[in-house]
Amino acid sequence: MTSPTVSIVCPCYNEEQVVELFMERISKVLSDSQYSYEVILINDGSKDNTLATINELQQQYPDIRVINLSRNFGKEAALTAGIDSARGEVLIPIDADLQDPPELIHDFLRKWEEGYDVVVAKRVDRSTDSWAKKFSAELFYKFHNAVAQVEIPENVGDFRLINRRVVNAIQLLPENQRFMKGIFSWVGFKTAVVEYKREAREAGETSFNGWKLWNFALDGITSFSTAPLRIWLYVGGFISALSFIYGSATIIKTLIYGIDSPGYASLITVMLFLGGVQLIGIGVMGEYIGRLYMESKRRPTYIIEEDSLKKPLDQGSK
């Protein structure tokens, strides 16, 4: 079987309402291209009729390849499954919600033809996002890049082009707990930037909420930085220095003015403060130990139940 030049990798979770619109736009864009292509739709344990819908779309779009995971493993795992399964010379991860315009793929390919290994799409206008989402995203990028060894470009998501050389490098990374934005940045290679305006979601609702975004950000920070652990070394040293200064001042005051009766409120305040600091430090340490524990099991990142390239799926199955 001849391998395509371009592989579109699209994780799908409860995208029943938008996946047909996605295929209409992406197929038009790819048909206008001179390159052969495949569109890999990864069903990440959707609870709606996403799988049945994309199976039906295979009749209309023969270049669709369906990968059905055995359960919901999360977007990072589904994206990894698509990257591992893609056969193209270049891969383009994209979400099905059409907030990232497929028409940008032509710009990606032109940059690739110029010799770039990676072409990233940078959002210069996020007016469709809420104020809270824009503020939290900006805060995450600034904090992550301040503490991490590998800088993640601001306002750059998974929508990008990577060539086969970059894919091979990504596949060398064995970790199970994957933060793909960081992995894309970590492998490096010659990179070009294409700017665009982020569009509103075409249909359906996002599966990400505030709590999931918070945990996602936490995964990103702990995956590529040990700074949160190192911070508590400095916090502990600072508190110890304050305690030494306060103790010295108390001794001097006692020698000069006599025994001073300590106040109950100040004592409780100091005890609660130090207890809180210790619990936070233990929590940060626990986050890293938890990641070590999960990685030590060496479980696979994902499990593929069926792959339409290797075994046709039953049409209309759920």
Side-chain angles (χ1 to χ4, degrees), residues 270-286:
V270 171
M271 290 178 62
L272 291 176
F273 172 72
L274 293 177
V277 169
Q278 289 173 348
L279 289 175
I280 293 173
I282 291 172
V284 172
M285 187 183 301

Side-chain angles (χ1 to χ4, degrees), residues 182-286:
I183 289 175
F184 286 139
S185 297
W186 187 88
V187 296
F189 293 99
K190 186 178 179 182
T191 302
V193 177
V194 175
E195 297 182 344
Y196 76 106
K197 178 181 178 180
R198 188 166 173 82
E199 300 178 1
R201 186 181 178 91
E202 284 288 333
E205 296 181 357
T206 179
S207 60
F208 278 95
N209 53 36
W211 179 247
K212 287 184 178 180
L213 289 173
W214 163 256
N215 287 320
F216 184 66
L218 193 62
D219 284 342
I221 293 169
T222 54
S223 292
F224 288 89
S225 175
T226 58
L229 288 173
R230 191 177 298 114
I231 285 172
W232 291 103
L233 172 65
Y234 298 120
V235 171
F238 178 71
I239 292 176
S240 297
L242 286 180
S243 300
F244 177 79
I245 294 172
Y246 179 76
S248 301
T250 301
I251 292 173
I252 294 173
K253 184 179 179 181
T254 301
L255 291 175
I256 296 176
Y257 300 104
I259 299 176
D260 185 20
S261 299
Y264 174 78
S266 60
L267 180 62
I268 289 296
T269 300
V270 171
M271 290 178 62
L272 291 176
F273 172 72
L274 293 177
V277 169
Q278 289 173 348
L279 289 175
I280 293 173
I282 291 172
V284 172
M285 187 183 301

Side-chain angles (χ1 to χ4, degrees), residues 76 136-150 152 177-183 213-232 284 287-288 291:
E76 306 299 281
S136 59
E138 182 179 356
L139 187 64
F140 164 73
Y141 284 118
K142 290 187 180 301
F143 182 76
H144 181 279
N145 291 337
V147 300
Q149 296 177 348
V150 177
I152 297 177
Q177 307 294 307
R178 302 177 75 82
F179 180 68
M180 294 306 296
K181 290 183 181 64
I183 289 175
L213 289 173
W214 163 256
N215 287 320
F216 184 66
L218 193 62
D219 284 342
I221 293 169
T222 54
S223 292
F224 288 89
S225 175
T226 58
L229 288 173
R230 191 177 298 114
I231 285 172
W232 291 103
V284 172
E287 179 68 26
Y288 281 91
R291 296 185 68 86

Side-chain angles (χ1 to χ4, degrees), residues 29-47:
V29 169
L30 294 172
S31 296
D32 294 338
S33 170
Q34 60 179 320
Y35 299 109
S36 59
Y37 64 89
E38 65 178 352
V39 179
I40 304 175
L41 301 178
I42 306 99
N43 179 48
D44 185 25
S46 298
K47 298 178 181 178

